[in-house]
Amino acid sequence: MSLRREFDCGSSGEKRRMTRAAKPEPQRCHWAQKPLMAEYHDQEWGRPVHDDRMLFEFVILEGAQAGLSWETILNKRENYRRAFDNFDAAKIARYDGHKVRKLLADAGIVRNRLKISATISNAQAFLAVQKEFGTFDKYIWQFVGGRAKKHDWSNSRGIPARTSESDAMSKDLKRRGFRFVGTTICYAFMQAVGMVNDHAPDCFRYKPTA
């Protein structure tokens, strides 16, 4: 498909017909068709993340997704950053009852008392992991041996909801006091932060995940 546009040549009064070929849409994983999902897929999903603040953001957002769609959470992402001090774990760990009531009244986020409470306790557990390991990054990437795992599923519809690695991660996170970290949530987290590459083989992001 191409876009055809006509341009006046100025003083000559002649018209030239110029054909510009529209840039074709790249082949993406089946779930990344809507604009917001496509942008997230192209720019973030599957790219290795080693920044502690960003890793904590994904821990919280993946937990917030429980029972909802990821698109719903992406639509609220900027509201979450505003409401939760840009995912500053040290600040969130000190939230009190007044702050919780304020969050429960915030229509820009998922107003679920258990999820909000879990965000606070997860921040406290996150800080404890940082203290023990130096960084959360060092701790969390050990579940894939420090390197991203590249899967070779025939298509993105055949990707599993959990793996032995996500089982181990979930078990250890729960032991450390984290909540909303079931194995399926952990696997979604692993996909998001690039611990596994689950782009479909025909997806243009299948190889360039670094």
Side-chain angles (χ1 to χ4, degrees):
M1 182 179 179
S2 64
L3 297 178
R4 304 180 65 88
R5 295 181 181 178
E6 290 186 351
F7 294 86
D8 287 331
C9 292
S11 59
S12 67
E14 296 180 5
K15 291 184 177 181
R16 291 182 303 172
R17 186 179 298 273
M18 300 181 66
T19 301
R20 292 182 177 178
K23 187 177 180 180
E25 282 292 308
Q27 180 68 37
R28 296 184 175 92
C29 297
H30 79 277
W31 55 267
Q33 302 307 311
K34 294 183 180 179
L36 181 63
M37 297 293 279
E39 180 182 5
Y40 169 70
H41 169 277
D42 295 358
Q43 297 182 13
E44 293 188 77
W45 196 73
R47 290 181 183 267
V49 175
H50 293 283
D51 175 74
D52 270 18
R53 192 213 63 79
M54 185 61 72
L55 288 168
F56 179 64
E57 176 174 333
F58 276 110
V59 168
I60 301 307
L61 293 181
E62 292 292 352
Q65 182 196 0
L68 303 170
S69 71
W70 184 240
E71 185 177 12
T72 295
I73 300 304
L74 282 183
N75 276 313
K76 296 177 179 290
R77 190 177 189 179
E78 289 305 317
N79 294 329
Y80 265 89
R81 287 172 172 169
R82 169 190 52 77
F84 288 96
D85 290 292
N86 200 33
F87 294 100
D88 185 325
K91 291 183 178 179
I92 295 172
R94 298 193 299 268
Y95 283 1
D96 56 15
H98 173 74
K99 178 65 174 180
V100 170
R101 289 190 293 273
K102 184 176 180 181
L103 290 169
L104 286 169
D106 191 335
I109 65 172
V110 177
R111 291 180 289 182
N112 179 295
R113 184 179 292 275
L114 289 177
K115 291 180 179 180
I116 291 172
S117 174
T119 299
I120 299 171
S121 60
N122 284 352
Q124 295 165 351
F126 178 87
L127 294 175
V129 168
Q130 283 186 320
K131 184 176 181 180
E132 179 179 347
F133 289 85
T135 64
F136 186 77
D137 170 64
K138 183 178 180 181
Y139 161 75
I140 206 68
W141 275 83
Q142 70 177 329
F143 292 99
V144 289
R147 298 183 62 183
K149 299 191 67 173
K150 191 169 186 177
H151 291 149
D152 191 21
W153 315 118
S154 59
N155 60 69
S156 57
R157 296 180 187 274
I159 297 172
R162 61 189 289 181
T163 61
S164 59
E165 292 88 356
S166 69
D167 288 348
M169 180 187 296
S170 174
K171 182 178 180 180
D172 199 67
L173 286 171
K174 289 178 180 178
R175 181 180 67 82
R176 294 175 180 276
F178 285 85
R179 292 189 286 162
F180 285 94
V181 288
T183 185
T184 56
I185 290 176
C186 283
Y187 193 67
F189 168 84
M190 292 171 68
Q191 292 174 312
V193 303
M195 294 175 72
V196 294
N197 178 356
D198 275 347
H199 287 283
D202 60 352
C203 172
F204 85 103
R205 289 291 301 142
Y206 179 65
K207 292 182 180 180
T209 53

